[in-house]
Amino acid sequence: MEPIPPNLDYPTVTDPTDALSAVPAAGSRRAVPVIGHLRFYYGPMDCGKSTLALQVDHNHARQGRKGLLLVHLDRSGKPQISSRIGITRTAIEVHAGIDLRDLVRERWAAGSRVDYLIVDEAQFLTPQQVDQLAELADDVQVDVYCFGIATDFRSELFPGSRRLFELADELEPVQVDVLCWCGLPARFNARVVDGAVMRAGDTVLVADTTDTERALSESARATTVRYQVLCRRHFRLGDLGPNVAAKGQLSLA
């Protein structure tokens, strides 16, 4: 077979259904603006999300980058990112009314740069706040690392997590295995009240914090509320295993 001449022109075939766009040639890619990335690391309770968040912050800070740590409803009840293995860092508490872009603008106004954001408990963000994070990544080159739970106690996506699945550049399940009582991988966060798996109730109910427990009413404290990670089968069945009152599960009372 004869080699194809290098200067041979091929006819351009136009496909009206083609969704791909032309990309810049290698020599002209410097003209394309640099953008930040929006990443979402997700997994069930106890899989190490907060530990990973603090490790990412540590690595970036060691390399001279400047970042902000954000959190909403940390298990400690305080404005901080706390890992179950004992590592804790102070963070900015962000409630639903905060515009995350304003936090970055305030740092700029104070003469500080912001290279990255670490957002823990990202499932509690509003969809609008996730949009703001995407804007920061695209328009001002801030790298955004979000960490959170994908689904609530009903096995339905949190609104913030849903928007992150829709917008994030990268979706990364946290690789630390969490096991159901039966030994199978667990990814469902069951809310347990008085030994029974709940299927309805408020989406947000933070556990594993003495501050939260003190804030509960006397009637609420009379009811034991905790979370337990289960495999899909046992989540469906509401089967908490032979040792229902196992120590080490997250508890409000």
Side-chain angles (χ1 to χ4, degrees):
M1 180 181 294
E2 295 183 1
I4 300 174
N7 60 348
L8 183 63
D9 292 328
Y10 290 93
T12 301
V13 179
T14 303
D15 181 357
T17 66
D18 192 355
L20 300 179
S21 302
V23 299
S28 63
R29 288 177 187 168
R30 297 185 187 89
V32 178
V34 176
I35 64 171
H37 289 84
L38 174 59
R39 299 175 173 89
F40 182 35
Y41 298 85
Y42 62 94
M45 296 179 302
D46 266 349
C47 72
K49 297 181 298 297
S50 296
T51 304
L52 179 58
L54 294 174
Q55 182 66 58
V56 171
D57 174 59
H58 174 74
N59 290 350
H60 281 269
R62 282 189 62 196
Q63 294 173 300
R65 305 191 83 202
K66 303 296 183 181
L68 292 178
L69 273 62
L70 311 179
V71 71
H72 184 43
L73 297 176
D74 182 75
R75 68 179 66 87
S76 67
K78 301 175 182 178
Q80 62 185 21
I81 297 176
S82 60
S83 168
R84 298 191 204 285
I85 64 174
I87 307 171
T88 300
R89 287 287 308 278
T90 300
I92 300 171
E93 180 76 22
V94 293
H95 55 72
I98 290 181
D99 189 322
L100 303 182
R101 297 166 299 184
D102 288 342
L103 295 178
V104 175
R105 294 185 185 114
E106 290 170 4
R107 289 302 174 107
W108 290 342
S112 299
R113 74 176 196 265
V114 178
D115 300 313
Y116 64 94
L117 298 176
I118 303 290
V119 187
D120 199 20
E121 307 295 352
Q123 71 273 10
F124 296 138
L125 295 175
T126 66
Q128 293 75 21
Q129 287 174 323
V130 176
D131 289 343
Q132 293 161 14
L133 293 175
E135 181 179 328
L136 288 169
D138 291 344
D139 296 350
V140 294
Q141 297 82 53
V142 174
D143 288 322
V144 183
Y145 300 85
C146 292
F147 303 82
I149 298 171
T151 58
D152 64 14
F153 73 101
R154 301 165 299 179
S155 75
E156 298 178 6
L157 286 169
F158 283 96
S161 299
R162 179 183 296 110
R163 194 61 176 148
L164 281 164
F165 275 109
E166 293 166 349
L167 291 186
D169 299 296
E170 297 178 21
L171 299 168
E172 298 285 348
V174 178
Q175 297 298 327
V176 176
D177 285 338
V178 180
L179 301 180
C180 178
W181 62 266
C182 67
L184 292 175
R187 64 183 182 90
F188 293 90
N189 308 294
R191 180 182 295 171
V192 182
V193 177
D194 289 338
V197 174
M198 293 291 97
R199 307 296 183 182
D202 294 337
T203 301
V204 179
L205 183 60
V206 180
D208 196 29
T209 164
T210 54
D211 289 344
T212 302
E213 184 178 344
R214 284 193 293 269
L216 293 174
S217 66
E218 290 298 327
S219 60
R221 277 200 292 266
T223 302
T224 299
V225 182
R226 64 187 180 89
Y227 288 94
Q228 183 170 337
V229 288
L230 298 171
C231 66
R232 183 178 62 220
R233 179 171 183 268
H234 290 127
F235 176 80
R236 287 191 304 102
L237 297 175
D239 188 347
L240 300 174
N243 188 10
V244 173
K247 294 182 179 181
Q249 294 293 344
L250 311 186
S251 177
L252 281 177

